[in-house]
Amino acid sequence: MRVVYTGDVRSEQNADRDAAYRYIERIAPKDARRNEPLSRHTTLGVGGPADLWIKPRTVGAALDVLSFCQRESVPHMALGRGSNVLVSDSGWRGAVVNLSRCFRRYRPVAGGVTCGAGLSLPRLVRRLAGDGFSGLEWAGGIPGTVGGAVVVNAGAHGAEMSGVVKRIVAMVEGERRLLGKETIAFSYRAAEAPGIVLEVEFELNEAVPELAREKIEHLMSVRERTQPLSKRTAGCIFKNPPGDSAGRIIDSLGLKGVVAGAARVSELHANFIVNEDDATAADVFSLIRRVKERVRGETGVQLELEVELIGDFAQ
Ligand code: EPU
């Protein structure tokens, strides 16, 4: 049965929003939940509810949901592991789509692989090593999805996604489009890719599996020594200022261990904030402000956020 949608979401009337959500619920029955706390879907474990949370089990349903949201201007976003975000306590008014159940295909192609945006990056990296591909070993410890890593141009150990992405398939203005790398404006920890990333083609070299695995293990052990990987965090909070490290600066001011509510500046790496015990987004945000102000006051450096803020924050 074809479901007909008759609302006008652009009017921003609650009744129209509700009609749009009901339409989506019928596209992906059993896979949509109202008022879903995003704290359950972020590595920091913080964040209020999204109006609608959808984790479609088929590619067709995911495409229909995204296409509908774009054609009808329903506020929507894709969220993978939620490992680089701070969601406000009041949550987010819109539809949040997770592609990890449907866009997870992995397929070797000439000179690399194509894979779904919902694939876990650490799992992809291990699989690539086993299949004799080199180029993404540095990403073995990044706890995100392929799509999330592309849209933030994730990086580590001197490499970043922009160096290996060849092209992407994205949902743009309600249609699936193949976009070459040149259409994505990559910069340090940011990428302006239009629409929602669905699939990514990586350009890779050949590797001896054993050597690729050794490289991954080595880089992971460096991370384990220097970053609080077993704690609830959102990775690095601030971008590194040109020529320096935010972690080094924050540490040099003696700010490791500083707390706001249940949020604490990590004792291991000062550019991480740890959710110690049911911290709120307000705790984390007030700690961010304190650190920023101290750094600006004492060094003149204006730190910029690396994590993405979702929802309302009193700036
Ligand atoms: N340092 C300190 N104290 C600290 C942390 C760091 O003195 O608390 C010093 C280190 O000793 C080192 C320098 O600062 O001399 C740089 O530290 P590190 O090698 O840990 O790298 P980083 O610049 O802090 C960057 C990325 C990380 C990435 C690592 C490893 C940014 C903002 N951070 O950190 O990315 O994992 O390099 O390649 O670009 C992330 O994107 O979320 C992230 C964590």
Side-chain angles (χ1 to χ4, degrees), residues 83-84 138 142 154-159 188-189 222-223 226-227 234-241 244-252 256 266-272 306-307:
S83 54
N84 195 49
W138 54 270
I142 297 179
H157 312 291
Y188 168 53
R189 291 298 194 276
V222 171
R223 269 179 104 91
T226 56
Q227 299 181 0
C236 283
I237 292 287
F238 299 104
K239 292 180 181 173
N240 282 341
D244 207 340
S245 155
R248 190 204 64 76
I249 298 171
I250 299 164
D251 189 0
S252 74
K256 275 183 171 172
S266 165
E267 308 272 6
L268 190 57
H269 194 300
N271 198 10
F272 283 66
E306 203 234 282
V307 293

Side-chain angles (χ1 to χ4, degrees), residues 125-136:
V125 169
R126 291 193 175 281
R127 184 148 185 200
L128 288 174
D131 286 355
F133 287 110
S134 173
L136 264 168

Side-chain angles (χ1 to χ4, degrees), residues 182-229:
E182 67 287 350
T183 60
I184 308 168
F186 285 110
S187 55
Y188 168 53
R189 291 298 194 276
E192 280 170 40
I196 301 284
V197 179
L198 303 171
E199 284 181 297
V200 181
E201 183 175 335
F202 292 105
E203 208 165 16
L204 302 164
N205 297 313
E206 280 179 29
V208 175
E210 207 38 55
L211 295 182
R213 280 197 205 100
E214 270 172 27
K215 193 168 171 187
I216 295 167
E217 295 313 323
H218 168 69
L219 295 176
M220 294 273 291
S221 71
V222 171
R223 269 179 104 91
E224 264 157 33
R225 255 196 344 267
T226 56
Q227 299 181 0
L229 300 185

